[in-house]
Amino acid sequence: MAANFEHVSLVDDPEHYEKTFSTFMDHKFPPNSREAWVPMVLKHGNIRTCISRLEQSGKSLRVIGIGSGTGVEDCKLINGLLEMYPKIHITVVEPNEDHIRQYQETVASTENLQKADWDWRQQSWDDYLTFRRETNDSSKFHIMTSVYSIHYVQGGLDAAVDRMVDCLKDGCVLLICINRKDNGLGMMSDWPWRNDHFIGLGDQFDSLELKESLERRGLLCEEAVLAEYCDVADCLERKNESDARDLEDFMTHVVNFRERAPSEVYVRFMKQLQDPKICSREKGRDFIDVSGDVIIAKRE
C-alpha cells in the first residue's frame, strides 16, 4: 500500500458527509434494514422490567441516542416505546447540524413523537460528557443507543465503553450497532489514512472486541447480524459519475478521494472493489457486503 497522503476527512466536512451518506443510503439494500434492531430492543425483557418499575413511580423512561444522525432508527424506537409507556425523555447527541435539523423536522411533523420530552444536543459525545462534568449532571439513562457511531468516539475502546456504561442505570440496556470486520468494507480497509479521520478508533476493534470489553465490565451481551449490502455498479461502470464519486468518498471517508489520492492508491482501491471476494454479482447487480453487528448489553 502506498504511503499516507494529504487529505480532508469526511467527518471534517459535514455538508459533504451528508451528501455522500445520503447517496450511500440510496444504494443500500434491503430497504429499512438499519431499523431491524428496533423490535429486538422493544421485546427485550429488561426494557419491560424498567417500564414496570417506572409505572409504579410515575417517572420518565430516559433514553439517549449517541450520534443519532437524522433519527430514522431512533424515531422508530421512540414510537414503539410510547406505545408501551407514555412518559419518555430522550436526549439526542448529534454533532451534524443538517442531521439534527432533519431529525427535529421529523419530530415536529409527527404527532406521536411530540408526546416525548426532547433534549437536543448538537455536539459530539465527548463534548456532551464534558458538559455533564461541568454542570455536575450525574443523571443516568434506561436505554442508550449508538448506531454506527462508536468509531467516532475518542480515547480508545475501553475508555469509550467505560464512559457509556457510567451513564447507564443498573439493570438497563446499551445498544451498539457496529460494522463487521469481515464484510466488504472491512476487507478493503487496510488504508493508512483511515485512523486519522476515525480518530484512531474506527479500524482498531470489531464486534468481538467490543463484546469482550462490555463483558469485562459485567454486562451481559446478546448479538445479531444486520444484513446490509451496497450497490456499487456506479463505481464500476461509471454510469452515474456523481454517485460514483460520492460512494468512493463515503467508503474511504476522504473528501474528493479520486482527485486527492495518488494514482496508485486509487488504482488499488478500484482493484479491491472488483475483487470477487469483496464484490458480488447477482441478478445484474454489483454489490458489497456492508453488514453490521448489533449488540444489546444489559448492565446488572
Side-chain angles (χ1 to χ4, degrees):
M1 170 57 70
N4 207 336
F5 60 92
E6 185 175 346
H7 65 278
V8 177
S9 167
L10 202 58
V11 298
D12 293 328
D13 189 336
E15 185 176 345
H16 194 61
Y17 180 97
E18 166 66 18
K19 180 176 181 290
T20 61
F21 177 72
S22 178
T23 300
F24 171 74
M25 294 299 286
D26 287 343
H27 285 69
K28 187 178 62 62
F29 65 94
N32 304 320
S33 54
R34 289 201 171 189
E35 302 167 19
W37 59 266
V38 174
M40 296 173 59
V41 176
L42 294 175
K43 293 186 298 182
H44 201 278
N46 281 77
I47 300 301
R48 297 183 180 276
T49 299
C50 284
I51 289 175
S52 295
R53 292 172 181 167
L54 290 169
E55 286 174 337
Q56 299 174 20
S57 67
K59 295 181 179 180
S60 294
L61 178 70
R62 291 177 54 80
V63 182
I64 184 168
I66 303 170
S68 296
T70 58
V72 173
E73 295 89 359
D74 280 1
C75 288
K76 294 282 186 180
L77 175 64
I78 299 304
N79 271 320
L81 290 172
L82 283 166
E83 294 179 4
M84 301 165 65
Y85 190 68
K87 296 182 67 174
I88 296 177
H89 180 281
I90 176 164
T91 298
V92 176
V93 181
E94 169 54 52
N96 187 296
E97 181 179 3
D98 287 335
H99 284 176
I100 205 167
R101 175 184 52 78
Q102 291 179 55
Y103 195 156
Q104 290 171 326
E105 290 173 352
T106 299
V107 172
S109 63
T110 309
E111 183 176 355
N112 193 51
L113 292 174
Q114 294 172 35
K115 298 174 184 177
D117 178 23
W118 296 86
D119 178 17
W120 302 100
R121 301 284 177 175
Q122 189 192 323
Q123 56 192 162
S124 69
W125 172 241
D126 299 285
D127 288 342
Y128 174 68
L129 292 177
T130 298
F131 167 81
R132 283 172 59 92
R133 288 193 299 270
E134 292 176 346
T135 58
N136 296 315
D137 183 355
S138 59
S139 59
K140 295 182 183 291
F141 298 89
H142 300 98
I143 302 173
M144 180 180 296
T145 67
S146 171
V147 181
Y148 296 106
S149 61
I150 192 172
H151 49 269
Y152 295 114
V153 175
Q154 299 184 37
L157 172 58
D158 287 338
V161 169
D162 282 338
R163 292 194 293 271
M164 288 180 176
V165 173
D166 187 56
C167 294
L168 194 66
K169 287 179 176 287
D170 290 342
C172 295
V173 172
L174 166 62
L175 178 136
I176 299 176
C177 295
I178 179 175
N179 285 317
R180 298 171 60 92
K181 268 194 173 180
D182 61 354
N183 69 12
L185 282 181
M187 289 189 283
M188 292 175 69
S189 63
D190 59 337
W191 304 315
W193 64 88
R194 281 176 67 96
N195 282 349
D196 295 339
H197 55 256
F198 277 140
I199 321 176
L201 188 57
D203 289 349
Q204 297 182 10
F205 69 91
D206 57 16
S207 56
L208 176 59
E209 292 165 298
L210 173 60
K211 183 180 177 183
E212 290 174 346
S213 181
L214 290 164
E215 290 177 340
R216 285 197 299 271
R217 284 149 183 80
L219 280 76
L220 301 179
C221 297
E222 304 172 23
E223 60 183 315
V225 176
L226 292 180
E228 298 184 295
Y229 307 90
C230 180
D231 189 326
V232 294
D234 284 331
C235 297
L236 301 176
E237 300 172 9
R238 303 292 172 84
K239 292 181 179 179
N240 186 324
E241 277 291 329
S242 177
D243 281 6
R245 289 173 181 270
D246 283 350
L247 290 171
E248 290 167 4
D249 287 5
F250 189 79
M251 286 188 284
T252 61
H253 257 51
V254 172
V255 176
N256 298 326
F257 174 71
R258 192 184 299 184
E259 288 75 21
R260 292 179 181 272
S263 60
E264 66 269 24
V265 173
Y266 184 74
V267 168
R268 168 71 181 275
F269 167 78
M270 290 304 299
K271 284 183 177 179
Q272 286 185 314
L273 198 57
Q274 297 171 53
D275 187 332
K277 295 179 181 177
I278 292 173
C279 183
S280 301
R281 185 173 182 82
E282 184 176 317
K283 297 180 180 179
R285 173 183 265 176
D286 296 292
F287 60 91
I288 63 171
D289 184 350
V290 293
S291 297
D293 284 322
V294 55
I295 296 178
I296 301 179
K298 166 191 171 184
R299 180 173 184 177
E300 294 290 349

